[in-house]
Amino acid sequence: MAKVSLNGKALTGIKILAFCLALLPLGKLGVNAYLDNLGANPIEKITHVTGFWTLTLLMVTLAATPLRRLSGWNWPIRLRRMLGLFAFSYGSLHLLAYLVLDQFFDWDAIVQDIAKRPYITVGFPAFLLMVPLAVTSTDQMLRRLGGKNWLRLHRLVYPCAIGGVVHYWWLVKKDLSNPLAFASVLAILLGIRVAYRLGGPLFRRPKPARST
């Protein structure tokens, strides 16, 4: 499939739009907090919104490579780093909401929670896996690590996403529609990667034409 590239102006416009859209949930959360419109349980609302958008942005980030391979568009890859950092930012806010607003830095209670509640036991390591991805997201770190090592390290995004989905699934007690949707999207994205590696008909690279 032929690759489709955008000119600099169009790519800049898409980046600005993606930046604003990624920032929108946080802005809406801030406005609702200012207006005291976070419902009966504001801490739960903040925790839910930041966690939901952490997973959403992780899925969008994971979709960049399959979208490029299936469509020939190059521009999704150019958004991947920014959206990945947004995912980490929302994940950090999600963790801080738990540590500061919910537990008030009660470390004994936090340690007990991590050991006692399965969704926290899975969710905390999933967040920790995001830290090296964010730290090494710059061009300088890519050059320092080398392309192959950098790619190996950034495969941590897969267990991170899986852990995030499991964390959400175990957290929700009644309506599993959102966790199921995330699990389905993740399964599709990982399935496309597996099919591409196995060289299925849809994903097989075309053989170069023989010169005569």
Side-chain angles (χ1 to χ4, degrees):
M1 184 175 293
K3 292 183 178 180
V4 179
S5 300
L6 298 177
N7 59 42
K9 187 175 181 180
L11 182 59
T12 299
I14 289 178
K15 283 185 175 181
I16 292 173
L17 178 61
F19 182 90
C20 293
L21 289 175
L23 201 59
L24 186 61
L26 183 60
K28 183 179 178 181
L29 190 63
V31 170
N32 285 332
Y34 178 77
L35 296 176
D36 194 19
N37 192 29
L38 292 178
N41 193 335
I43 296 174
E44 183 179 296
K45 180 70 172 180
I46 293 170
T47 305
H48 172 76
V49 169
T50 52
F52 179 87
W53 284 101
T54 301
L55 268 182
T56 299
L57 289 165
L58 265 180
M59 297 302 139
V60 174
T61 303
L62 284 171
T65 297
L67 185 59
R68 182 189 63 176
R69 288 171 174 168
L70 293 174
S71 67
W73 300 339
N74 280 323
W75 59 264
I77 298 298
R78 305 294 295 273
L79 303 177
R80 184 171 55 184
R81 180 187 307 179
M82 178 182 70
L83 295 176
L85 288 172
F86 264 112
F88 175 72
S89 299
Y90 277 101
S92 299
L93 292 173
H94 181 68
L95 178 62
L96 284 173
Y98 170 73
L99 294 178
V100 180
L101 301 179
D102 192 10
Q103 296 294 336
F104 301 102
F105 289 119
D106 185 344
W107 296 110
D108 289 338
I110 291 168
V111 170
Q112 291 175 14
D113 251 2
I114 293 174
K116 182 174 63 176
R117 299 187 182 183
Y119 67 88
I120 298 178
T121 307
V122 172
F124 186 67
F127 171 78
L128 291 180
L129 291 177
M130 297 179 71
V131 176
L133 303 182
V135 170
T136 59
S137 65
T138 64
D139 290 335
Q140 182 181 4
M141 288 303 299
L142 172 59
R143 289 191 296 267
R144 183 177 297 179
L145 292 172
K148 289 184 178 180
N149 291 330
W150 189 89
L151 286 173
R152 290 192 191 100
L153 176 64
H154 278 251
R155 286 173 187 156
L156 289 174
V157 70
Y158 304 137
C160 173
I162 292 170
V165 170
V166 173
H167 166 75
Y168 192 18
W169 192 295
W170 286 353
L171 170 65
V172 175
K173 296 180 177 62
K174 294 182 179 179
D175 185 5
L176 293 174
S177 55
N178 281 340
L180 182 59
F182 279 117
S184 301
V185 170
L186 181 59
I188 292 170
L189 294 175
L190 295 181
I192 291 174
R193 282 171 163 81
V194 171
Y196 187 82
R197 286 186 175 275
L198 294 176
L202 182 61
F203 305 95
R204 191 175 293 126
R205 292 185 179 91
K207 295 180 179 179
R210 293 182 179 178
S211 57
T212 56

